Amino acid sequence: MPFFRSYDGTALWYELTGTGDPLVVLPGGPGMDVRYLGGLGGLDRRRRLVLVDARASGRSAVPEDRGTVSFVAQARDLEALRVHLGLERLDLLAHSAGCLTAQEYAAAYPGRVRRAVLVTPVGRAGREPDPAELAALRAARSAEPWYPDSAEADRLLAEGARPGAETADLQRRLQPFFWHRWDEDRQAEYRPGHATALPWLREAFYAGTAGPHDLAERVARLAAARTPVLVLAGAADGMIGTAPARAVAACHPHGRLEVLAEAGHRPWVEEPERFVAAVTGFLDADGLGSSSPGTAPV
């Protein structure tokens, strides 16, 4: 089975799919099984995807030390994977919460990321949604038949903590806000078992979040990596909005933002052709092909 041992001996799952130069892919969630990404809208026909289940997620092992699950600590897992694959540098794509790990890795290991694609990122060194933007995005869907139920779930969640099962149901009812178009195909994107069942994982992952006292320093550290970055946002993303994507693109000196007009939080599903064209155009720009002169995964 395609496991590798990380720096602390934790067994982490990865799988290879597609053809072309390797592209390491990190899922979001946090804690989502990487299989929800599928072939990324056909990107696997242009790139050899190295799909990774983060520690305590999917088919990867749960470490004894929960502190190693923070997005800051998980950068060490990515470095262990690079060494395992025999690559000098990585091309890297991350989604949502996984973008925090990707940015931390680029900062912690300068020069190891050739180019990075950050898809609907949640922020720079933690979650950075703009509440006003999210409220406006959700209110704009008021004519949709599902809106009353989703709006009620939004209100109930905002009122405070609830038992686990009830919270999970309310979050499920929010899902239509996350898409440009909500229909049976979009509902089928949610598979039992893809989301984490570990109640502590979210808090452990975000334990690395910057506070007001060190945010500026942390953002400057990300910028210092000078990694070429493409940031993709969905104009209808009612999960996290576009504000985090704009902040991420602005903080990287070689960052570029593209907002997909007819997409929400998973743009490879709703605008696959534009998504693949944007990603491959960025990765292949200036005649750059292979992600490293090292050994490509097979």
Side-chain angles (χ1 to χ4, degrees):
M1 292 185 179
F3 287 98
F4 71 98
R5 295 281 175 180
S6 194
Y7 64 93
D8 61 350
T10 301
L12 303 182
W13 174 280
Y14 73 100
E15 58 184 287
L16 308 173
T17 182
T19 59
D21 292 329
L23 175 64
V24 174
V25 178
L26 304 181
M32 289 287 287
D33 187 307
V34 74
R35 283 173 285 192
Y36 82 92
L37 295 171
L40 284 170
L43 187 58
D44 58 346
R45 294 193 290 272
R46 302 287 300 275
R47 281 274 171 158
R48 180 75 156 161
L49 304 183
V50 184
L51 298 159
V52 185
D53 273 331
R55 59 176 54 217
S57 306
R59 292 149 290 181
S60 290
V62 178
E64 293 184 7
D65 182 0
R66 293 181 181 180
T68 65
V69 176
S70 79
F71 68 83
V72 173
Q74 285 195 40
R76 297 182 67 184
D77 293 331
L78 199 47
E79 176 63 3
L81 175 64
R82 182 195 66 79
V83 173
H84 173 78
L85 296 174
L87 295 171
E88 181 178 340
R89 293 193 297 167
L90 303 177
D91 276 351
L92 185 58
L93 182 148
H95 177 232
S96 193
C99 296
L100 295 175
T101 303
Q103 292 176 93
E104 175 62 25
Y105 176 73
Y109 298 90
R112 291 303 188 190
V113 179
R114 191 190 72 105
R115 294 195 171 201
V117 179
L118 305 177
V119 183
T120 58
V122 299
R124 298 165 296 180
R127 286 176 58 85
E128 297 181 289
D130 178 346
E133 181 194 29
L134 280 181
L137 283 169
R138 295 179 180 185
R141 312 300 294 276
S142 61
E144 301 279 2
W146 47 260
Y147 178 82
D149 182 64
S150 295
E152 181 185 41
D154 191 16
R155 177 181 62 79
L156 290 172
L157 284 169
E159 289 177 354
R162 295 170 178 273
E166 184 178 357
T167 295
D169 181 65
L170 292 174
Q171 290 172 339
R172 177 192 59 77
R173 290 164 58 187
L174 279 183
Q175 290 170 356
F177 284 130
F178 306 162
W179 298 85
H180 173 73
R181 182 183 299 107
W182 181 247
D183 54 26
E184 291 184 0
D185 289 339
R186 304 297 177 258
Q187 295 175 45
E189 287 292 316
Y190 295 94
R191 310 285 176 81
H194 278 187
T196 182
L198 299 174
W200 52 265
L201 188 143
R202 185 178 182 85
E203 181 178 357
F205 180 86
Y206 284 115
T209 296
H213 62 289
D214 66 344
L215 178 59
E217 179 182 349
R218 293 275 293 277
V219 169
R221 178 171 168 270
L222 298 181
R226 305 191 68 80
T227 305
V229 171
L230 171 65
V231 183
L232 295 176
D237 186 354
M239 172 183 277
I240 197 67
T242 66
R246 298 178 192 280
V248 168
C251 94
H252 292 280
H254 300 290
R256 177 163 64 88
L257 172 68
E258 185 166 344
V259 180
L260 281 68
E262 297 184 358
H265 198 62
R266 300 186 185 186
W268 66 91
V269 175
E270 297 196 286
E271 291 202 62
E273 293 182 0
R274 185 177 174 189
F275 175 84
V276 171
V279 173
T280 56
F282 171 73
L283 294 177
D284 296 340
D286 301 326
L288 295 174
S290 176
S291 61
S292 91
T295 303
V298 295

